Amino acid sequence: MGKRIYRFISNLLLLLSSFLVLLYYSPLKFRWPLAVLVELWPYCGVIPLLGVVLILSKSDLRKHLVRVAGATLLLVLIWAPTLSWVGLPSPGESASGLRVMASNIWIDNSNTDAIAQSIQDQNPDILLLSEISSSMMTEMQS
């Protein structure tokens, strides 16, 4: 009975992972109901991770090479876009080229000193501030 439950759960996780891969790499992902799921993409990466952990932790499931390879492939396909979104840091490299800074100030924010300090620390070539009041803009122009 226990082996059947683990097999069922792992099959369900592999099926969900396959659906997520098809969803993300499909041209239909920009349609309204599917776009909401794509916004949750980094959180959906937990599903194939659970599948790989379950398959590798149970010896009777680990024996199936196709299941292990499929789960690993799905894990890589789901996490690859997330890693490319985040980007991998390169320690020691300084930024070159045009530096752009965008910040949502929030119109009721009154802490202009912290905002000005952040802008001075980053020293951007192009600055985009959204939700900024005209009084705060006048105050921060210096």
Short mmCIF file of all heavy atoms in Angstrom, two decimals, residues 60-92:
data_model
loop_
_atom_site.label_atom_id
_atom_site.label_comp_id
_atom_site.label_asym_id
_atom_site.label_seq_id
_atom_site.Cartn_x
_atom_site.Cartn_y
_atom_site.Cartn_z
N ASP A 60 12.56 2.31 -3.90
CA ASP A 60 11.82 1.61 -4.97
C ASP A 60 11.52 2.56 -6.14
O ASP A 60 11.40 2.12 -7.28
CB ASP A 60 10.53 0.98 -4.44
CG ASP A 60 9.58 1.99 -3.83
OD1 ASP A 60 10.06 2.93 -3.18
OD2 ASP A 60 8.35 1.82 -4.00
N LEU A 61 11.41 3.86 -5.88
CA LEU A 61 11.21 4.81 -6.97
C LEU A 61 12.54 5.18 -7.63
O LEU A 61 12.57 5.49 -8.82
CB LEU A 61 10.54 6.09 -6.44
CG LEU A 61 9.13 5.95 -5.89
CD1 LEU A 61 8.65 7.27 -5.33
CD2 LEU A 61 8.18 5.45 -6.95
N ARG A 62 13.62 5.14 -6.88
CA ARG A 62 14.93 5.49 -7.39
C ARG A 62 15.42 4.49 -8.43
O ARG A 62 16.25 4.81 -9.27
CB ARG A 62 15.91 5.54 -6.22
CG ARG A 62 17.15 6.32 -6.50
CD ARG A 62 18.08 6.43 -5.32
NE ARG A 62 17.39 6.45 -4.05
CZ ARG A 62 17.79 5.80 -2.97
NH1 ARG A 62 18.89 5.09 -3.01
NH2 ARG A 62 17.13 5.86 -1.84
N LYS A 63 14.90 3.28 -8.39
CA LYS A 63 15.32 2.24 -9.33
C LYS A 63 14.89 2.54 -10.76
O LYS A 63 15.47 2.04 -11.70
CB LYS A 63 14.75 0.89 -8.91
CG LYS A 63 15.31 0.40 -7.60
CD LYS A 63 14.61 -0.87 -7.19
CE LYS A 63 15.01 -1.27 -5.78
NZ LYS A 63 14.23 -2.40 -5.29
N HIS A 64 13.86 3.36 -10.92
CA HIS A 64 13.34 3.67 -12.25
C HIS A 64 14.13 4.84 -12.84
O HIS A 64 13.89 6.00 -12.51
CB HIS A 64 11.86 4.04 -12.17
CG HIS A 64 11.01 2.94 -11.62
ND1 HIS A 64 10.42 2.00 -12.42
CD2 HIS A 64 10.67 2.62 -10.35
CE1 HIS A 64 9.75 1.16 -11.68
NE2 HIS A 64 9.88 1.51 -10.41
N LEU A 65 15.06 4.53 -13.70
CA LEU A 65 15.95 5.53 -14.28
C LEU A 65 15.17 6.58 -15.07
O LEU A 65 15.49 7.77 -15.02
CB LEU A 65 16.99 4.85 -15.17
CG LEU A 65 18.05 5.77 -15.77
CD1 LEU A 65 18.83 6.46 -14.66
CD2 LEU A 65 18.98 4.99 -16.66
N VAL A 66 14.14 6.17 -15.77
CA VAL A 66 13.34 7.10 -16.57
C VAL A 66 12.64 8.11 -15.66
O VAL A 66 12.59 9.31 -15.96
CB VAL A 66 12.31 6.34 -17.44
CG1 VAL A 66 11.37 7.29 -18.15
CG2 VAL A 66 13.03 5.46 -18.44
N ARG A 67 12.13 7.64 -14.53
CA ARG A 67 11.44 8.52 -13.58
C ARG A 67 12.42 9.56 -13.00
O ARG A 67 12.12 10.74 -12.92
CB ARG A 67 10.81 7.71 -12.47
CG ARG A 67 10.06 8.51 -11.45
CD ARG A 67 9.54 7.61 -10.35
NE ARG A 67 8.64 6.60 -10.84
CZ ARG A 67 7.33 6.76 -10.95
NH1 ARG A 67 6.77 7.86 -10.58
NH2 ARG A 67 6.56 5.79 -11.40
N VAL A 68 13.61 9.11 -12.63
CA VAL A 68 14.62 10.02 -12.07
C VAL A 68 15.07 11.02 -13.13
O VAL A 68 15.15 12.23 -12.86
CB VAL A 68 15.83 9.23 -11.52
CG1 VAL A 68 16.94 10.15 -11.10
CG2 VAL A 68 15.40 8.34 -10.36
N ALA A 69 15.34 10.54 -14.33
CA ALA A 69 15.78 11.44 -15.41
C ALA A 69 14.69 12.43 -15.77
O ALA A 69 14.96 13.62 -15.98
CB ALA A 69 16.18 10.62 -16.64
N GLY A 70 13.44 11.97 -15.84
CA GLY A 70 12.32 12.87 -16.16
C GLY A 70 12.12 13.93 -15.10
O GLY A 70 11.93 15.11 -15.41
N ALA A 71 12.18 13.52 -13.84
CA ALA A 71 12.01 14.48 -12.74
C ALA A 71 13.13 15.51 -12.75
O ALA A 71 12.90 16.71 -12.56
CB ALA A 71 11.96 13.75 -11.41
N THR A 72 14.34 15.07 -13.00
CA THR A 72 15.48 15.99 -13.03
C THR A 72 15.38 16.94 -14.21
O THR A 72 15.63 18.15 -14.08
CB THR A 72 16.80 15.20 -13.09
OG1 THR A 72 16.83 14.26 -12.02
CG2 THR A 72 18.00 16.12 -12.99
N LEU A 73 15.01 16.44 -15.37
CA LEU A 73 14.84 17.29 -16.55
C LEU A 73 13.77 18.35 -16.32
O LEU A 73 13.96 19.52 -16.65
CB LEU A 73 14.50 16.44 -17.78
CG LEU A 73 14.20 17.22 -19.05
CD1 LEU A 73 15.47 17.92 -19.54
CD2 LEU A 73 13.64 16.31 -20.12
N LEU A 74 12.64 17.93 -15.75
CA LEU A 74 11.57 18.89 -15.47
C LEU A 74 12.03 19.94 -14.46
O LEU A 74 11.70 21.12 -14.59
CB LEU A 74 10.33 18.16 -14.96
CG LEU A 74 9.61 17.30 -16.00
CD1 LEU A 74 8.54 16.46 -15.34
CD2 LEU A 74 9.02 18.16 -17.11
N LEU A 75 12.80 19.52 -13.48
CA LEU A 75 13.32 20.46 -12.49
C LEU A 75 14.21 21.51 -13.16
O LEU A 75 14.09 22.70 -12.91
CB LEU A 75 14.09 19.72 -11.40
CG LEU A 75 14.70 20.57 -10.30
CD1 LEU A 75 13.61 21.22 -9.47
CD2 LEU A 75 15.60 19.73 -9.42
N VAL A 76 15.09 21.06 -14.04
CA VAL A 76 16.00 21.98 -14.73
C VAL A 76 15.21 22.92 -15.63
O VAL A 76 15.45 24.13 -15.67
CB VAL A 76 17.05 21.19 -15.54
CG1 VAL A 76 17.80 22.09 -16.50
CG2 VAL A 76 18.01 20.49 -14.60
N LEU A 77 14.22 22.40 -16.36
CA LEU A 77 13.43 23.23 -17.27
C LEU A 77 12.61 24.27 -16.53
O LEU A 77 12.37 25.37 -17.04
CB LEU A 77 12.51 22.36 -18.13
CG LEU A 77 13.19 21.56 -19.23
CD1 LEU A 77 12.20 20.62 -19.90
CD2 LEU A 77 13.82 22.48 -20.24
N ILE A 78 12.16 23.95 -15.33
CA ILE A 78 11.36 24.90 -14.57
C ILE A 78 12.24 25.93 -13.88
O ILE A 78 11.90 27.10 -13.80
CB ILE A 78 10.45 24.16 -13.57
CG1 ILE A 78 9.32 23.49 -14.34
CG2 ILE A 78 9.88 25.11 -12.54
CD1 ILE A 78 8.38 22.68 -13.53
N TRP A 79 13.41 25.54 -13.40
CA TRP A 79 14.27 26.49 -12.68
C TRP A 79 15.14 27.33 -13.60
O TRP A 79 15.64 28.37 -13.20
CB TRP A 79 15.13 25.75 -11.66
CG TRP A 79 14.35 25.53 -10.41
CD1 TRP A 79 13.66 24.40 -10.08
CD2 TRP A 79 14.14 26.45 -9.35
NE1 TRP A 79 13.04 24.58 -8.87
CE2 TRP A 79 13.31 25.83 -8.40
CE3 TRP A 79 14.55 27.74 -9.11
CZ2 TRP A 79 12.91 26.45 -7.23
CZ3 TRP A 79 14.15 28.36 -7.94
CH2 TRP A 79 13.33 27.72 -7.02
N ALA A 80 15.34 26.92 -14.85
CA ALA A 80 16.20 27.68 -15.76
C ALA A 80 15.71 29.12 -15.98
O ALA A 80 16.51 30.05 -15.88
CB ALA A 80 16.33 26.95 -17.09
N PRO A 81 14.41 29.35 -16.24
CA PRO A 81 13.98 30.75 -16.42
C PRO A 81 14.13 31.56 -15.13
O PRO A 81 14.46 32.74 -15.17
CB PRO A 81 12.51 30.65 -16.80
CG PRO A 81 12.29 29.25 -17.21
CD PRO A 81 13.32 28.43 -16.54
N THR A 82 13.89 30.93 -14.00
CA THR A 82 14.00 31.65 -12.73
C THR A 82 15.43 32.10 -12.50
O THR A 82 15.68 33.23 -12.09
CB THR A 82 13.53 30.75 -11.56
OG1 THR A 82 12.21 30.29 -11.84
CG2 THR A 82 13.53 31.50 -10.26
N LEU A 83 16.39 31.23 -12.80
CA LEU A 83 17.79 31.61 -12.62
C LEU A 83 18.22 32.67 -13.62
O LEU A 83 19.04 33.53 -13.29
CB LEU A 83 18.68 30.37 -12.74
CG LEU A 83 18.54 29.38 -11.59
CD1 LEU A 83 19.41 28.16 -11.85
CD2 LEU A 83 18.88 30.01 -10.26
N SER A 84 17.64 32.65 -14.82
CA SER A 84 18.00 33.69 -15.78
C SER A 84 17.36 35.02 -15.42
O SER A 84 17.89 36.07 -15.74
CB SER A 84 17.62 33.28 -17.21
OG SER A 84 16.22 33.31 -17.36
N TRP A 85 16.19 35.00 -14.74
CA TRP A 85 15.57 36.25 -14.29
C TRP A 85 16.43 36.88 -13.21
O TRP A 85 16.68 38.06 -13.20
CB TRP A 85 14.19 36.01 -13.71
CG TRP A 85 13.15 35.61 -14.67
CD1 TRP A 85 13.18 35.73 -16.03
CD2 TRP A 85 11.90 35.02 -14.35
NE1 TRP A 85 12.03 35.24 -16.57
CE2 TRP A 85 11.23 34.79 -15.56
CE3 TRP A 85 11.28 34.64 -13.17
CZ2 TRP A 85 9.97 34.22 -15.63
CZ3 TRP A 85 10.03 34.07 -13.24
CH2 TRP A 85 9.38 33.86 -14.45
N VAL A 86 16.84 36.05 -12.25
CA VAL A 86 17.62 36.57 -11.13
C VAL A 86 19.02 36.93 -11.59
O VAL A 86 19.58 37.94 -11.18
CB VAL A 86 17.67 35.52 -9.99
CG1 VAL A 86 18.60 35.95 -8.89
CG2 VAL A 86 16.28 35.25 -9.46
N GLY A 87 19.58 36.13 -12.45
CA GLY A 87 20.94 36.36 -12.90
C GLY A 87 21.93 35.87 -11.86
O GLY A 87 21.64 35.87 -10.68
N LEU A 88 23.03 35.43 -12.31
CA LEU A 88 24.06 34.96 -11.39
C LEU A 88 25.05 36.09 -11.16
O LEU A 88 25.53 36.71 -12.11
CB LEU A 88 24.73 33.72 -11.97
CG LEU A 88 23.79 32.55 -12.21
CD1 LEU A 88 24.52 31.41 -12.90
CD2 LEU A 88 23.18 32.07 -10.91
N PRO A 89 25.37 36.38 -9.91
CA PRO A 89 26.27 37.51 -9.63
C PRO A 89 27.70 37.22 -10.07
O PRO A 89 28.13 36.08 -10.10
CB PRO A 89 26.19 37.64 -8.11
CG PRO A 89 25.78 36.30 -7.63
CD PRO A 89 24.93 35.70 -8.71
N SER A 90 28.39 38.27 -10.44
CA SER A 90 29.80 38.16 -10.80
C SER A 90 30.59 39.02 -9.83
O SER A 90 30.72 40.22 -10.04
CB SER A 90 30.04 38.67 -12.22
OG SER A 90 29.07 38.20 -13.09
N PRO A 91 31.09 38.43 -8.76
CA PRO A 91 31.80 39.24 -7.78
C PRO A 91 33.06 39.85 -8.36
O PRO A 91 33.76 39.23 -9.16
CB PRO A 91 32.13 38.25 -6.66
CG PRO A 91 31.92 36.91 -7.23
CD PRO A 91 31.05 37.04 -8.43
N GLY A 92 33.31 41.09 -7.97
CA GLY A 92 34.53 41.76 -8.40
C GLY A 92 34.37 42.57 -9.67
O GLY A 92 35.22 43.38 -9.98
#
